[in-house]
PDB file of all heavy atoms in Angstrom:
ATOM      1  N   SER G 345     172.582 174.064 161.482  1.00 96.00           N
ATOM      2  CA  SER G 345     172.107 172.765 160.765  1.00 96.00           C
ATOM      3  C   SER G 345     171.644 173.179 159.331  1.00 96.00           C
ATOM      4  O   SER G 345     171.636 172.420 158.408  1.00 96.00           O
ATOM      5  CB  SER G 345     171.154 172.056 161.509  1.00 96.00           C
ATOM      6  OG  SER G 345     170.121 172.916 161.959  1.00 96.00           O
ATOM      7  N   TRP G 346     171.183 174.422 159.142  1.00 98.00           N
ATOM      8  CA  TRP G 346     170.714 174.867 157.889  1.00 98.00           C
ATOM      9  C   TRP G 346     171.437 176.183 157.569  1.00 98.00           C
ATOM     10  O   TRP G 346     171.627 177.054 158.371  1.00 98.00           O
ATOM     11  CB  TRP G 346     169.223 175.175 157.896  1.00 98.00           C
ATOM     12  CG  TRP G 346     168.338 173.945 158.060  1.00 98.00           C
ATOM     13  CD1 TRP G 346     167.707 173.555 159.238  1.00 98.00           C
ATOM     14  CD2 TRP G 346     167.844 173.117 157.118  1.00 98.00           C
ATOM     15  NE1 TRP G 346     167.102 172.402 159.107  1.00 98.00           N
ATOM     16  CE2 TRP G 346     167.118 172.118 157.675  1.00 98.00           C
ATOM     17  CE3 TRP G 346     168.128 173.007 155.749  1.00 98.00           C
ATOM     18  CZ2 TRP G 346     166.534 171.050 157.047  1.00 98.00           C
ATOM     19  CZ3 TRP G 346     167.514 171.921 155.067  1.00 98.00           C
ATOM     20  CH2 TRP G 346     166.758 171.059 155.607  1.00 98.00           C
ATOM     21  N   LEU G 347     171.715 176.297 156.223  1.00 98.00           N
ATOM     22  CA  LEU G 347     172.302 177.451 155.686  1.00 98.00           C
ATOM     23  C   LEU G 347     171.346 178.171 154.802  1.00 98.00           C
ATOM     24  O   LEU G 347     170.659 177.524 154.022  1.00 98.00           O
ATOM     25  CB  LEU G 347     173.503 177.153 154.872  1.00 98.00           C
ATOM     26  CG  LEU G 347     174.970 177.024 155.655  1.00 98.00           C
ATOM     27  CD1 LEU G 347     176.085 176.612 154.730  1.00 98.00           C
ATOM     28  CD2 LEU G 347     175.374 178.185 156.336  1.00 98.00           C
ATOM     29  N   VAL G 348     171.396 179.437 154.799  1.00 98.00           N
ATOM     30  CA  VAL G 348     170.707 180.271 153.846  1.00 98.00           C
ATOM     31  C   VAL G 348     171.584 181.092 153.189  1.00 98.00           C
ATOM     32  O   VAL G 348     172.577 181.687 153.659  1.00 98.00           O
ATOM     33  CB  VAL G 348     169.716 181.177 154.527  1.00 98.00           C
ATOM     34  CG1 VAL G 348     169.068 182.221 153.482  1.00 98.00           C
ATOM     35  CG2 VAL G 348     168.533 180.449 155.249  1.00 98.00           C
ATOM     36  N   VAL G 349     171.675 180.873 151.761  1.00 98.00           N
ATOM     37  CA  VAL G 349     172.528 181.612 150.852  1.00 98.00           C
ATOM     38  C   VAL G 349     171.917 182.709 150.220  1.00 98.00           C
ATOM     39  O   VAL G 349     170.912 182.519 149.520  1.00 98.00           O
ATOM     40  CB  VAL G 349     173.227 180.603 149.787  1.00 98.00           C
ATOM     41  CG1 VAL G 349     174.126 181.156 148.944  1.00 98.00           C
ATOM     42  CG2 VAL G 349     173.825 179.380 150.575  1.00 98.00           C
ATOM     43  N   THR G 350     172.510 183.880 150.476  1.00 97.00           N
ATOM     44  CA  THR G 350     171.854 185.033 149.958  1.00 97.00           C
ATOM     45  C   THR G 350     172.588 185.649 148.741  1.00 97.00           C
ATOM     46  O   THR G 350     173.761 185.386 148.629  1.00 97.00           O
ATOM     47  CB  THR G 350     171.682 186.165 151.080  1.00 97.00           C
ATOM     48  OG1 THR G 350     172.835 186.566 151.541  1.00 97.00           O
ATOM     49  CG2 THR G 350     170.677 185.637 152.150  1.00 97.00           C
ATOM     50  N   LYS G 351     171.943 186.608 148.003  1.00 97.00           N
ATOM     51  CA  LYS G 351     172.603 187.323 147.009  1.00 97.00           C
ATOM     52  C   LYS G 351     173.300 186.474 145.991  1.00 97.00           C
ATOM     53  O   LYS G 351     174.390 186.785 145.254  1.00 97.00           O
ATOM     54  CB  LYS G 351     173.608 188.358 147.564  1.00 97.00           C
ATOM     55  CG  LYS G 351     172.897 189.474 148.462  1.00 97.00           C
ATOM     56  CD  LYS G 351     173.731 190.575 148.673  1.00 97.00           C
ATOM     57  CE  LYS G 351     172.954 191.826 148.940  1.00 97.00           C
ATOM     58  NZ  LYS G 351     173.931 193.054 149.059  1.00 97.00           N
ATOM     59  N   MET G 352     172.745 185.330 145.671  1.00 97.00           N
ATOM     60  CA  MET G 352     173.258 184.426 144.716  1.00 97.00           C
ATOM     61  C   MET G 352     173.468 185.104 143.289  1.00 97.00           C
ATOM     62  O   MET G 352     174.279 185.012 142.460  1.00 97.00           O
ATOM     63  CB  MET G 352     172.302 183.251 144.583  1.00 97.00           C
ATOM     64  CG  MET G 352     172.632 182.092 143.830  1.00 97.00           C
ATOM     65  SD  MET G 352     173.788 181.048 144.717  1.00 97.00           S
ATOM     66  CE  MET G 352     174.190 179.886 143.511  1.00 97.00           C
ATOM     67  N   ASP G 353     172.376 185.901 142.975  1.00 97.00           N
ATOM     68  CA  ASP G 353     172.265 186.561 141.660  1.00 97.00           C
ATOM     69  C   ASP G 353     173.413 187.563 141.452  1.00 97.00           C
ATOM     70  O   ASP G 353     173.763 187.951 140.288  1.00 97.00           O
ATOM     71  CB  ASP G 353     171.001 187.329 141.442  1.00 97.00           C
ATOM     72  CG  ASP G 353     170.662 188.298 142.643  1.00 97.00           C
ATOM     73  OD1 ASP G 353     170.752 187.847 143.795  1.00 97.00           O
ATOM     74  OD2 ASP G 353     170.482 189.448 142.370  1.00 97.00           O
ATOM     75  N   VAL G 354     174.032 188.007 142.423  1.00 98.00           N
ATOM     76  CA  VAL G 354     175.172 188.964 142.412  1.00 98.00           C
ATOM     77  C   VAL G 354     176.376 188.301 141.583  1.00 98.00           C
ATOM     78  O   VAL G 354     177.219 188.997 141.127  1.00 98.00           O
ATOM     79  CB  VAL G 354     175.629 189.563 143.724  1.00 98.00           C
ATOM     80  CG1 VAL G 354     176.896 190.364 143.639  1.00 98.00           C
ATOM     81  CG2 VAL G 354     174.429 190.328 144.494  1.00 98.00           C
ATOM     82  N   LEU G 355     176.464 186.943 141.551  1.00 98.00           N
ATOM     83  CA  LEU G 355     177.526 186.280 140.914  1.00 98.00           C
ATOM     84  C   LEU G 355     177.158 185.949 139.493  1.00 98.00           C
ATOM     85  O   LEU G 355     177.898 185.301 138.785  1.00 98.00           O
ATOM     86  CB  LEU G 355     177.829 185.086 141.771  1.00 98.00           C
ATOM     87  CG  LEU G 355     178.243 185.116 143.226  1.00 98.00           C
ATOM     88  CD1 LEU G 355     178.532 183.732 143.771  1.00 98.00           C
ATOM     89  CD2 LEU G 355     179.574 186.010 143.295  1.00 98.00           C
ATOM     90  N   ASP G 356     175.951 186.390 139.049  1.00 98.00           N
ATOM     91  CA  ASP G 356     175.495 186.055 137.701  1.00 98.00           C
ATOM     92  C   ASP G 356     176.430 186.274 136.584  1.00 98.00           C
ATOM     93  O   ASP G 356     176.405 185.672 135.509  1.00 98.00           O
ATOM     94  CB  ASP G 356     174.136 186.574 137.434  1.00 98.00           C
ATOM     95  CG  ASP G 356     173.065 185.988 138.106  1.00 98.00           C
ATOM     96  OD1 ASP G 356     173.231 184.976 138.828  1.00 98.00           O
ATOM     97  OD2 ASP G 356     171.934 186.479 138.209  1.00 98.00           O
ATOM     98  N   HIS G 357     177.315 187.379 136.725  1.00 96.00           N
ATOM     99  CA  HIS G 357     178.158 187.765 135.588  1.00 96.00           C
ATOM    100  C   HIS G 357     179.312 186.935 135.442  1.00 96.00           C
ATOM    101  O   HIS G 357     180.113 187.154 134.429  1.00 96.00           O
ATOM    102  CB  HIS G 357     178.400 189.195 135.862  1.00 96.00           C
ATOM    103  CG  HIS G 357     179.257 189.500 136.961  1.00 96.00           C
ATOM    104  ND1 HIS G 357     178.903 189.197 138.329  1.00 96.00           N
ATOM    105  CD2 HIS G 357     180.549 190.019 137.159  1.00 96.00           C
ATOM    106  CE1 HIS G 357     179.842 189.517 139.094  1.00 96.00           C
ATOM    107  NE2 HIS G 357     180.904 189.991 138.437  1.00 96.00           N
ATOM    108  N   LEU G 358     179.704 186.197 136.413  1.00 98.00           N
ATOM    109  CA  LEU G 358     181.070 185.496 136.468  1.00 98.00           C
ATOM    110  C   LEU G 358     181.120 184.214 135.541  1.00 98.00           C
ATOM    111  O   LEU G 358     180.269 183.350 135.766  1.00 98.00           O
ATOM    112  CB  LEU G 358     181.430 185.286 137.802  1.00 98.00           C
ATOM    113  CG  LEU G 358     181.626 186.646 138.710  1.00 98.00           C
ATOM    114  CD1 LEU G 358     181.798 186.169 140.110  1.00 98.00           C
ATOM    115  CD2 LEU G 358     183.015 187.275 138.247  1.00 98.00           C
ATOM    116  N   ALA G 359     182.237 184.127 134.884  1.00 97.00           N
ATOM    117  CA  ALA G 359     182.464 182.832 134.206  1.00 97.00           C
ATOM    118  C   ALA G 359     183.127 181.846 135.144  1.00 97.00           C
ATOM    119  O   ALA G 359     182.983 180.604 134.994  1.00 97.00           O
ATOM    120  CB  ALA G 359     183.382 183.028 133.011  1.00 97.00           C
ATOM    121  N   GLU G 360     183.933 182.318 136.132  1.00 98.00           N
ATOM    122  CA  GLU G 360     184.554 181.482 137.112  1.00 98.00           C
ATOM    123  C   GLU G 360     184.398 182.115 138.449  1.00 98.00           C
ATOM    124  O   GLU G 360     184.416 183.395 138.543  1.00 98.00           O
ATOM    125  CB  GLU G 360     186.085 181.411 136.740  1.00 98.00           C
ATOM    126  CG  GLU G 360     186.349 180.184 135.960  1.00 98.00           C
ATOM    127  CD  GLU G 360     187.927 180.104 135.829  1.00 98.00           C
ATOM    128  OE1 GLU G 360     188.586 181.096 136.077  1.00 98.00           O
ATOM    129  OE2 GLU G 360     188.445 179.059 135.521  1.00 98.00           O
ATOM    130  N   ILE G 361     184.090 181.379 139.534  1.00 98.00           N
ATOM    131  CA  ILE G 361     184.070 181.929 140.803  1.00 98.00           C
ATOM    132  C   ILE G 361     185.088 181.248 141.781  1.00 98.00           C
ATOM    133  O   ILE G 361     184.946 180.084 142.040  1.00 98.00           O
ATOM    134  CB  ILE G 361     182.638 181.671 141.429  1.00 98.00           C
ATOM    135  CG1 ILE G 361     181.565 182.142 140.396  1.00 98.00           C
ATOM    136  CG2 ILE G 361     182.439 182.395 142.728  1.00 98.00           C
ATOM    137  CD1 ILE G 361     180.199 181.642 140.658  1.00 98.00           C
ATOM    138  N   PRO G 362     185.926 182.112 142.270  1.00 98.00           N
ATOM    139  CA  PRO G 362     186.927 181.619 143.311  1.00 98.00           C
ATOM    140  C   PRO G 362     186.203 181.384 144.582  1.00 98.00           C
ATOM    141  O   PRO G 362     185.493 182.157 145.066  1.00 98.00           O
ATOM    142  CB  PRO G 362     187.945 182.669 143.421  1.00 98.00           C
ATOM    143  CG  PRO G 362     187.649 183.696 142.408  1.00 98.00           C
ATOM    144  CD  PRO G 362     186.197 183.471 141.983  1.00 98.00           C
ATOM    145  N   VAL G 363     186.546 180.274 145.263  1.00 98.00           N
ATOM    146  CA  VAL G 363     186.044 179.924 146.528  1.00 98.00           C
ATOM    147  C   VAL G 363     187.182 179.390 147.436  1.00 98.00           C
ATOM    148  O   VAL G 363     187.899 178.605 146.972  1.00 98.00           O
ATOM    149  CB  VAL G 363     184.908 178.787 146.539  1.00 98.00           C
ATOM    150  CG1 VAL G 363     184.512 178.357 147.891  1.00 98.00           C
ATOM    151  CG2 VAL G 363     183.800 179.175 145.589  1.00 98.00           C
ATOM    152  N   CYS G 364     187.292 180.030 148.576  1.00 98.00           N
ATOM    153  CA  CYS G 364     188.422 179.534 149.371  1.00 98.00           C
ATOM    154  C   CYS G 364     188.101 178.183 150.053  1.00 98.00           C
ATOM    155  O   CYS G 364     187.035 178.192 150.887  1.00 98.00           O
ATOM    156  CB  CYS G 364     188.688 180.559 150.513  1.00 98.00           C
ATOM    157  SG  CYS G 364     189.899 180.127 151.717  1.00 98.00           S
ATOM    158  N   VAL G 365     188.903 177.217 149.869  1.00 97.00           N
ATOM    159  CA  VAL G 365     188.602 175.870 150.407  1.00 97.00           C
ATOM    160  C   VAL G 365     189.395 175.514 151.567  1.00 97.00           C
ATOM    161  O   VAL G 365     189.106 174.635 152.371  1.00 97.00           O
ATOM    162  CB  VAL G 365     188.708 174.749 149.296  1.00 97.00           C
ATOM    163  CG1 VAL G 365     187.545 174.920 148.275  1.00 97.00           C
ATOM    164  CG2 VAL G 365     190.034 174.865 148.737  1.00 97.00           C
ATOM    165  N   ALA G 366     190.537 176.199 151.698  1.00 96.00           N
ATOM    166  CA  ALA G 366     191.376 175.880 152.903  1.00 96.00           C
ATOM    167  C   ALA G 366     192.275 177.049 153.174  1.00 96.00           C
ATOM    168  O   ALA G 366     192.434 177.959 152.460  1.00 96.00           O
ATOM    169  CB  ALA G 366     192.298 174.637 152.674  1.00 96.00           C
ATOM    170  N   TYR G 367     192.787 176.954 154.569  1.00 96.00           N
ATOM    171  CA  TYR G 367     193.834 177.945 154.952  1.00 96.00           C
ATOM    172  C   TYR G 367     195.068 177.277 155.133  1.00 96.00           C
ATOM    173  O   TYR G 367     195.137 176.143 155.573  1.00 96.00           O
ATOM    174  CB  TYR G 367     193.439 178.597 156.235  1.00 96.00           C
ATOM    175  CG  TYR G 367     192.341 179.538 156.348  1.00 96.00           C
ATOM    176  CD1 TYR G 367     191.964 179.834 157.667  1.00 96.00           C
ATOM    177  CD2 TYR G 367     191.769 180.134 155.288  1.00 96.00           C
ATOM    178  CE1 TYR G 367     190.779 180.860 157.820  1.00 96.00           C
ATOM    179  CE2 TYR G 367     190.745 181.047 155.447  1.00 96.00           C
ATOM    180  CZ  TYR G 367     190.218 181.399 156.649  1.00 96.00           C
ATOM    181  OH  TYR G 367     189.258 182.364 156.823  1.00 96.00           O
ATOM    182  N   LYS G 368     196.214 177.911 154.625  1.00 96.00           N
ATOM    183  CA  LYS G 368     197.533 177.353 154.927  1.00 96.00           C
ATOM    184  C   LYS G 368     198.127 178.404 155.752  1.00 96.00           C
ATOM    185  O   LYS G 368     198.229 179.515 155.398  1.00 96.00           O
ATOM    186  CB  LYS G 368     198.236 177.094 153.615  1.00 96.00           C
ATOM    187  CG  LYS G 368     197.967 175.819 152.920  1.00 96.00           C
ATOM    188  CD  LYS G 368     198.969 175.614 151.938  1.00 96.00           C
ATOM    189  CE  LYS G 368     198.811 174.199 151.286  1.00 96.00           C
ATOM    190  NZ  LYS G 368     199.520 173.981 150.067  1.00 96.00           N
ATOM    191  N   ILE G 369     198.885 177.933 156.762  1.00 94.00           N
ATOM    192  CA  ILE G 369     199.702 178.764 157.604  1.00 94.00           C
ATOM    193  C   ILE G 369     201.095 178.149 157.692  1.00 94.00           C
ATOM    194  O   ILE G 369     201.215 177.031 158.085  1.00 94.00           O
ATOM    195  CB  ILE G 369     199.164 179.032 159.084  1.00 94.00           C
ATOM    196  CG1 ILE G 369     197.734 179.796 158.900  1.00 94.00           C
ATOM    197  CG2 ILE G 369     200.090 179.812 159.951  1.00 94.00           C
ATOM    198  CD1 ILE G 369     196.994 180.040 160.174  1.00 94.00           C
ATOM    199  N   ASN G 370     202.099 178.915 157.341  1.00 93.00           N
ATOM    200  CA  ASN G 370     203.442 178.398 157.107  1.00 93.00           C
ATOM    201  C   ASN G 370     203.496 177.151 156.283  1.00 93.00           C
ATOM    202  O   ASN G 370     204.162 176.144 156.697  1.00 93.00           O
ATOM    203  CB  ASN G 370     204.081 178.123 158.642  1.00 93.00           C
ATOM    204  CG  ASN G 370     204.144 179.397 159.362  1.00 93.00           C
ATOM    205  OD1 ASN G 370     204.239 180.506 158.933  1.00 93.00           O
ATOM    206  ND2 ASN G 370     203.974 179.276 160.715  1.00 93.00           N
ATOM    207  N   GLY G 371     202.717 177.258 155.263  1.00 94.00           N
ATOM    208  CA  GLY G 371     202.785 175.999 154.268  1.00 94.00           C
ATOM    209  C   GLY G 371     201.842 174.845 154.782  1.00 94.00           C
ATOM    210  O   GLY G 371     201.846 173.859 153.970  1.00 94.00           O
ATOM    211  N   LYS G 372     201.241 174.875 155.908  1.00 96.00           N
ATOM    212  CA  LYS G 372     200.571 173.751 156.433  1.00 96.00           C
ATOM    213  C   LYS G 372     199.112 174.021 156.486  1.00 96.00           C
ATOM    214  O   LYS G 372     198.667 175.083 156.916  1.00 96.00           O
ATOM    215  CB  LYS G 372     200.927 173.428 157.859  1.00 96.00           C
ATOM    216  CG  LYS G 372     202.158 172.534 158.047  1.00 96.00           C
ATOM    217  CD  LYS G 372     202.106 171.954 159.302  1.00 96.00           C
ATOM    218  CE  LYS G 372     203.333 171.006 159.648  1.00 96.00           C
ATOM    219  NZ  LYS G 372     203.761 171.148 161.018  1.00 96.00           N
ATOM    220  N   THR G 373     198.296 173.085 155.875  1.00 95.00           N
ATOM    221  CA  THR G 373     196.764 173.278 156.003  1.00 95.00           C
ATOM    222  C   THR G 373     196.293 173.221 157.340  1.00 95.00           C
ATOM    223  O   THR G 373     196.733 172.369 158.053  1.00 95.00           O
ATOM    224  CB  THR G 373     196.077 172.201 155.128  1.00 95.00           C
ATOM    225  OG1 THR G 373     196.717 172.227 153.780  1.00 95.00           O
ATOM    226  CG2 THR G 373     194.641 172.347 154.919  1.00 95.00           C
ATOM    227  N   THR G 374     195.401 174.129 157.745  1.00 93.00           N
ATOM    228  CA  THR G 374     195.009 174.143 159.082  1.00 93.00           C
ATOM    229  C   THR G 374     193.503 174.378 159.149  1.00 93.00           C
ATOM    230  O   THR G 374     192.907 175.055 158.290  1.00 93.00           O
ATOM    231  CB  THR G 374     195.593 175.176 159.941  1.00 93.00           C
ATOM    232  OG1 THR G 374     195.124 175.175 161.268  1.00 93.00           O
ATOM    233  CG2 THR G 374     195.574 176.593 159.481  1.00 93.00           C
ATOM    234  N   GLU G 375     192.768 173.748 160.127  1.00 87.00           N
ATOM    235  CA  GLU G 375     191.393 174.083 160.401  1.00 87.00           C
ATOM    236  C   GLU G 375     191.217 175.113 161.426  1.00 87.00           C
ATOM    237  O   GLU G 375     190.129 175.505 161.807  1.00 87.00           O
ATOM    238  CB  GLU G 375     190.691 172.724 160.855  1.00 87.00           C
ATOM    239  CG  GLU G 375     190.367 171.739 159.781  1.00 87.00           C
ATOM    240  CD  GLU G 375     189.178 172.142 158.896  1.00 87.00           C
ATOM    241  OE1 GLU G 375     188.197 172.485 159.517  1.00 87.00           O
ATOM    242  OE2 GLU G 375     189.331 172.009 157.671  1.00 87.00           O
ATOM    243  N   GLU G 376     192.344 175.451 162.064  1.00 91.00           N
ATOM    244  CA  GLU G 376     192.331 176.297 163.207  1.00 91.00           C
ATOM    245  C   GLU G 376     192.150 177.773 162.718  1.00 91.00           C
ATOM    246  O   GLU G 376     193.122 178.211 161.907  1.00 91.00           O
ATOM    247  CB  GLU G 376     193.568 176.096 164.096  1.00 91.00           C
ATOM    248  CG  GLU G 376     193.286 176.424 165.587  1.00 91.00           C
ATOM    249  CD  GLU G 376     194.495 176.045 166.407  1.00 91.00           C
ATOM    250  OE1 GLU G 376     194.903 174.779 166.274  1.00 91.00           O
ATOM    251  OE2 GLU G 376     194.827 176.784 167.245  1.00 91.00           O
ATOM    252  N   ILE G 377     191.366 178.537 163.360  1.00 94.00           N
ATOM    253  CA  ILE G 377     191.137 179.980 162.961  1.00 94.00           C
ATOM    254  C   ILE G 377     191.995 180.829 164.060  1.00 94.00           C
ATOM    255  O   ILE G 377     191.969 180.521 165.225  1.00 94.00           O
ATOM    256  CB  ILE G 377     189.640 180.459 163.191  1.00 94.00           C
ATOM    257  CG1 ILE G 377     188.839 179.475 162.254  1.00 94.00           C
ATOM    258  CG2 ILE G 377     189.540 181.931 163.002  1.00 94.00           C
ATOM    259  CD1 ILE G 377     189.008 179.735 160.793  1.00 94.00           C
ATOM    260  N   PRO G 378     192.917 181.648 163.435  1.00 94.00           N
ATOM    261  CA  PRO G 378     193.832 182.406 164.292  1.00 94.00           C
ATOM    262  C   PRO G 378     193.100 183.130 165.504  1.00 94.00           C
ATOM    263  O   PRO G 378     192.075 183.664 165.279  1.00 94.00           O
ATOM    264  CB  PRO G 378     194.639 183.294 163.485  1.00 94.00           C
ATOM    265  CG  PRO G 378     194.422 182.815 162.175  1.00 94.00           C
ATOM    266  CD  PRO G 378     193.011 182.056 162.164  1.00 94.00           C
ATOM    267  N   ALA G 379     193.718 183.087 166.733  1.00 94.00           N
ATOM    268  CA  ALA G 379     193.155 183.755 167.802  1.00 94.00           C
ATOM    269  C   ALA G 379     193.521 185.260 167.670  1.00 94.00           C
ATOM    270  O   ALA G 379     192.747 186.162 168.318  1.00 94.00           O
ATOM    271  CB  ALA G 379     193.571 183.241 169.106  1.00 94.00           C
ATOM    272  N   GLN G 380     194.655 185.639 167.045  1.00 94.00           N
ATOM    273  CA  GLN G 380     195.055 186.965 167.107  1.00 94.00           C
ATOM    274  C   GLN G 380     194.741 187.586 165.649  1.00 94.00           C
ATOM    275  O   GLN G 380     194.969 186.946 164.677  1.00 94.00           O
ATOM    276  CB  GLN G 380     196.587 187.125 167.346  1.00 94.00           C
ATOM    277  CG  GLN G 380     196.922 186.827 168.827  1.00 94.00           C
ATOM    278  CD  GLN G 380     198.401 186.903 168.937  1.00 94.00           C
ATOM    279  OE1 GLN G 380     199.198 186.022 168.301  1.00 94.00           O
ATOM    280  NE2 GLN G 380     198.831 188.001 169.607  1.00 94.00           N
TER     281      GLN G 380
END
Side-chain angles (χ1 to χ4, degrees):
S345 46
W346 292 98
L347 277 175
V348 170
V349 179
T350 60
K351 293 197 156 182
M352 191 78 184
D353 55 303
V354 172
L355 301 182
D356 283 354
H357 64 299
L358 293 165
E360 265 186 340
I361 308 166
V363 176
C364 173
V365 290
Y367 287 169
K368 274 190 179 173
I369 295 181
N370 300 327
K372 274 201 182 140
T373 305
T374 178
E375 281 285 313
E376 209 170 312
I377 303 293
Q380 290 181 290

